[in-house]
Amino acid sequence: MPDLASPTFWIAVFQIILIDILLGGDNAVVIALACRRLPVAQRNQGIFWGVFGAIGLRLVLIYFALQLLAIPYLKIVGGLLLFWIGVKLILPEHEDAHDHVQGSSTLIGAIKTIIVADAVMSIDNVIAVAGASHGSIVLVTFGIMVSIPIVVWGSKLVLALMDRFPIVITAGGGLLGWIGGGMLVTDPALPASWHATVPHSAYLVSAFGALLVVVTGKWLASRQAAHAAVELATATAEKLGEGKKP
């Protein structure tokens, strides 16, 4: 059992909650889309059972992820994946990201849609939470049980805060880079002498991972914006040219 009086425990809980809010905002959209065709009287049931099933499935996936991360080199792979997940979090999201989610007119169909869509969309969430949990399924369970209601019922507030304060997204990407760096240096494949040779290696690599994710994400986002501006200018020029033709 983890030490509930330990600051490390509560820092990890905070990280898991923040990860679920940042990476789980889409889940609230999925729930709304899946239940939109249900009769009003059944929507609350669809939301409740869909979320219940999604939580259960996610806990199972994270449990197996924790077991896999004990295998040499898999933490290194997981850490590198978290770097990329953090970069993707910083990049602007496409508007059609949820076009594949179909609503259902039956309660069972809506619940199934929520669970399946959540499983497909939660791979990044599973890896990040597994990295932040330090191998404790109790900590994972506690963090998710606290964060899921925030995501589902407070999603509008969370999304509004993200839109108004983009620094929240950037900080979230940095957090994933920090956790990814920590995963790299705790891989069982690394020699035990590594930590003695490089003092404070965990903090140094974690800080480097956070910086790498933020810098890379911002650079790619600026390139995307420049590319979009060029495409818009080209399309506008073509339309103006067509308008001048006799």
Side-chain angles (χ1 to χ4, degrees), residues 83-170:
F83 288 165
W84 177 236
I85 292 167
V87 170
K88 285 202 304 177
L89 179 65
I90 295 174
L91 293 176
E93 185 177 335
H94 295 294
E95 294 182 358
D96 58 352
H98 304 102
D99 287 351
H100 63 285
V101 180
Q102 301 296 323
S104 176
S105 58
T106 67
L107 180 61
I108 297 298
I111 294 171
K112 178 182 175 183
T113 299
I114 292 170
I115 294 174
V116 172
D118 185 85
V120 172
M121 296 169 58
S122 294
I123 300 303
D124 54 355
N125 191 293
V126 167
I127 296 172
V129 171
S133 68
H134 306 293
S136 171
I137 192 65
V138 174
L139 202 158
V140 168
T141 304
F142 183 80
I144 288 181
M145 295 301 289
V146 171
S147 58
I148 289 295
I150 297 174
V151 171
V152 175
W153 287 284
S155 59
K156 290 185 178 179
L157 175 60
V158 170
L159 293 174
L161 286 173
M162 291 182 185
D163 289 337
R164 185 168 178 80
F165 304 105
I167 188 66
V168 174
I169 301 294
T170 303

Side-chain angles (χ1 to χ4, degrees), residues 204-217:
L204 291 174
V205 178
S206 294
F208 175 77
L211 182 63
L212 177 66
V213 166
V214 171
V215 171
T216 304

Side-chain angles (χ1 to χ4, degrees), residues 41-85:
Q42 290 187 334
R43 285 181 185 172
N44 287 338
Q45 295 180 47
I47 291 172
F48 174 81
W49 289 111
V51 171
F52 183 82
I55 291 174
L57 181 60
R58 189 176 300 184
L59 288 174
V60 171
L61 291 175
I62 293 174
Y63 173 78
F64 283 108
L66 291 175
Q67 307 308 309
L68 291 174
L69 289 179
I71 300 174
Y73 299 107
L74 282 188
K75 275 194 174 183
I76 294 175
V77 174
L80 295 176
L81 282 174
L82 278 184
F83 288 165
W84 177 236
I85 292 167

